[in-house]
Amino acid sequence: MESTMKEMRGGESVLDMDPKSTVGGGVEDVYGEDCATEDQLLTPWTYSVASGYSLLRDPHHNKGLAFTETERDSHYLRGLLPPTVVTQQLQEKKLMASIRKYQVPLQKYMAMMELQERNERLFYKLLIDNVEELLPVVYTPTVGEACQKYGSIFRRPQGLYISLKEKGKVLDVLKNWPERSIQVIVVTDGERILGLGDLGCQGMGIPVGKLSLYTALGGVRPSACLPVTVDVGTNNEALLKDEFYIGLKQRRATGQEYADLLHEFMTAVKQNYGEKVLIQFEDFANHNAFTLLAKYGTTHLVFNDDIQGTASVVLAGVVAALKLIGGTLADHRFLFLGAGEAGTGIAELIALEMSKQTKAPLEETRKKIWLVDSKGLIVSSRKDSLQHFKKPWAHEHEPVKNLLGAVQAIKPTVLIGSSGVGRTFTKEIIETVASFNEKPLIMALSNPTSQSECTAEEAYTWSQGRAIFASGSPFDPFEYNGKLFVPGQANNAYIFPGFGLGLVISGAIRVHDDMLLAASEALAKQVSEENYDKGLIYPPFSNIRKISANIAANVAAKAYELGVATRLPRPVNLLKYAESCMYSPVYRSFR
Ligand SMILES: NC(=O)C1=CN([C@@H]2O[C@H](COP(=O)(O)OP(=O)(O)OC[C@H]3O[C@@H](n4cnc5c(N)ncnc54)[C@H](OP(=O)(O)O)[C@@H]3O)[C@@H](O)[C@H]2O)C=CC1
Ligand SMILES: CC(=O)C(=O)O
Ligand SMILES: [Mg+2]
């Protein structure tokens, strides 16, 4: 019996392989989640075989000139394509050459979106093979500009739009989506798009971009990903007046009306896709983000990327940085500019990890962390007027009006920007931090690049080459005094794809803070000596698939340990299992 269970196939235990994973096709719907509840009315779905002209117009199956002679014969493609047959590699080479010719990032973005709509596998092949070059195109910073101009560049709808007009019909709207077996949903209401504010319905670029990373970086099948924008209006005056605006032209619904639509959406998702679909909240304003996470955290598999994913990636960077700046986590003093989702989320996870390491109570470890918001340092005398998520950070201290005053008073060893406001780490601030730290750790997390608290050049120059620097949006390497400094990218894109994969492959039904710590630990371990030598505190994105598999394995292991995993039996080797489940964009052969 034991030997049957552990039968080796190609050197791997069968328990390490997903019995239903298709070669290079990603993990299938192994949990049978697409039929949700028994009393639910089902739509009689039919599928037909795409062939001929419609096959060329189907982005999931289209291969363009890479259709073989046999496929052209058997799928009625003769004459619909020019005679040459090329490899996927040649298609990739040609497309990269044409994308590189565009000088304007938004043109590159549009070329990539057009490719995604035309030939999905080629899109992912390009993105995976050229991740460091294309990440800034499909993700921050360019995706920010794309959202700002979404109305005018909009060609074909991407994702699912659920607006107030669909109130009472959300389940029907979900059924309009062509895919049945959804594993990950990224949803926004567009109110806090990166550091660009309220972009209303045009925020759709963010769920679309995040989910393309779920596939490219984390290996979740594209057909299992659903981007959603909930449109409750916008308070952006320019958009309300814009004749090309694609969303509801009304001011944002709030209170009960807002809560009701969100609740209908959350209920419909569970009803339609079951218990194990991951719902990632993205770029909600903080007055809704914390409430939604708390409200649905006990009933749904929910994850807030801005609060939790960001916390996990920053903790990983800080832990990795200890090799360069010295000391233990608890030896450091942290100061944040920005006390919203990102700032307080990161602060809480750092305090939790410190508490686990030192066995000191959370209330004590929080005291090592200070935050500044738009009104100054968060201190106890402000407690009554603070939003609930800031209250744990209201430590005893006299009021301090601004960041410079706070830097002088707190003398942080780690300075983190999470304000959404660009160029707020001024020369004076960086010089002051550098005056009492041999190696100050400076993280300018705000996106896109225009909102970064400082540039890499500023951080290195003003600290005379002593800063360890990472930023939310990428900066080029910078040479200072003959030495090349390579800035790291502290972005939750390191975490959420692998984190989500870990939840999917273990069939987890709830997210727990310990899973965020597990993801963080796995990421920090991937930083090599070679990376440290360049001053990097994150591994390069070129290794992201391996990094994501490691994160997924660690997260899944934690899910099993916590008893929230439902995929049984537990695969013996979770890393191999995670790898076996990852989608590959290589073309499949058609019979
Ligand atoms: N690198 C990454 O992976 C991530 C980066 N981010 C980025 O972080 C930024 C903030 O996001 P998020 O936390 O969700 O936003 P929130 O709106 O929740 O928080 C912003 C915080 O910054 C404070 N703030 C705003 N302006 C100033 C100012 N001039 N001086 C001091 N404090 C200020 C606000 O103060 P007050 O509360 O008083 O209004 C608030 O506390 C965004 O740019 C986002 O793109 C977010 C998630 C991930
Ligand atoms: C990266 C990200 O999630 C943000 O800037 O909102
Ligand atoms: Mg975000």
Side-chain angles (χ1 to χ4, degrees), residues 35-262:
C35 28
T37 59
E38 284 181 6
D39 54 354
Q40 180 196 336
L41 297 178
L42 292 178
T43 311
W45 289 96
T46 60
Y47 293 94
S48 58
V49 177
S51 71
Y53 195 76
S54 62
L55 181 56
L56 293 180
R57 294 290 178 279
D58 175 356
H60 301 305
H61 299 109
N62 181 29
K63 307 186 199 178
L65 291 180
F67 278 113
T68 62
E69 300 287 1
T70 322
E71 286 170 338
R72 290 173 191 216
D73 279 334
S74 47
H75 293 278
Y76 306 96
L77 295 170
R78 283 272 162 220
L80 299 183
L81 290 163
T84 189
V85 176
V86 303
T87 60
Q88 195 180 26
Q89 284 66 28
L90 194 69
Q91 289 181 311
E92 187 177 359
K93 186 176 169 190
K94 181 180 150 200
L95 273 160
M96 282 311 293
S98 81
I99 285 173
R100 283 175 185 141
K101 279 197 194 121
Y102 290 120
Q103 296 299 315
V104 179
L106 196 59
Q107 286 178 323
K108 294 182 193 241
Y109 176 87
M110 287 167 71
M112 285 299 284
M113 290 303 108
E114 198 266 331
L115 176 61
Q116 190 175 24
E117 282 169 14
R118 181 161 48 86
N119 182 338
E120 189 176 81
R121 281 188 182 261
L122 192 53
F123 168 83
Y124 283 111
K125 184 89 173 70
L126 246 66
L127 191 49
I128 291 168
D129 292 349
N130 305 277
V131 65
E132 290 192 314
E133 185 174 347
L134 293 178
L135 206 53
V137 175
V138 301
Y139 191 53
T140 183
T142 313
V143 71
E145 192 188 348
C147 289
Q148 287 174 311
K149 298 177 181 162
Y150 212 72
S152 45
I153 64 171
F154 179 84
R155 294 214 173 119
R156 276 205 221 166
Q158 297 168 295
L160 202 60
Y161 294 88
I162 296 174
S163 79
L164 287 168
K165 284 204 261 183
E166 280 73 56
K167 191 167 157 21
K169 295 181 251 177
V170 174
L171 184 58
D172 297 331
V173 176
L174 289 183
K175 288 176 195 284
N176 288 344
W177 187 250
E179 303 291 346
R180 302 280 73 211
S181 143
I182 298 299
Q183 290 171 326
V184 184
I185 292 174
V186 176
V187 57
T188 188
D189 71 355
E191 192 168 5
R192 196 285 278 142
I193 295 298
L194 308 176
L196 302 171
D198 183 351
L199 297 184
C201 200
Q202 301 192 171
M204 180 57 103
I206 295 294
V208 168
K210 292 269 176 185
L211 283 165
S212 64
L213 304 195
Y214 257 105
T215 299
L217 315 190
V220 177
R221 277 180 299 131
S223 59
C225 296
L226 173 58
V228 176
T229 294
V230 176
D231 184 353
V232 296
T234 178
N235 294 340
N236 183 323
E237 295 300 335
L239 291 181
L240 288 171
K241 287 189 201 126
D242 181 353
E243 62 173 325
F244 296 127
Y245 180 54
I246 57 173
L248 286 185
K249 286 202 176 182
Q250 65 177 72
R251 296 191 74 77
R252 277 186 179 275
T254 56
Q256 202 55 47
E257 195 181 7
Y258 178 90
D260 285 350
L261 187 65
L262 265 293

Side-chain angles (χ1 to χ4, degrees), residues 139 192 194 206 210 281-283 305-306 310 492:
Y139 191 53
R192 196 285 278 142
L194 308 176
I206 295 294
K210 292 269 176 185
F281 294 119
E282 191 71 49
D283 290 10
D305 189 33
D306 301 298
T310 315
N492 50 32

Side-chain angles (χ1 to χ4, degrees), residues 29 115 144 234-235 312 328 347 373 408 416 588:
D29 174 33
L115 176 61
T234 178
N235 294 340
S312 188
T328 65
D373 66 9
Q408 287 160 340
I416 298 179
R588 309 288 302 280

Side-chain angles (χ1 to χ4, degrees), residues 192 286 310 339-342 373-374 390 419-421 445 447 490-492:
R192 196 285 278 142
N286 61 39
T310 315
E341 294 167 64
D373 66 9
S374 64
K390 292 180 185 170
S419 63
V421 186
L445 301 178
N447 296 315
N491 195 295
N492 50 32

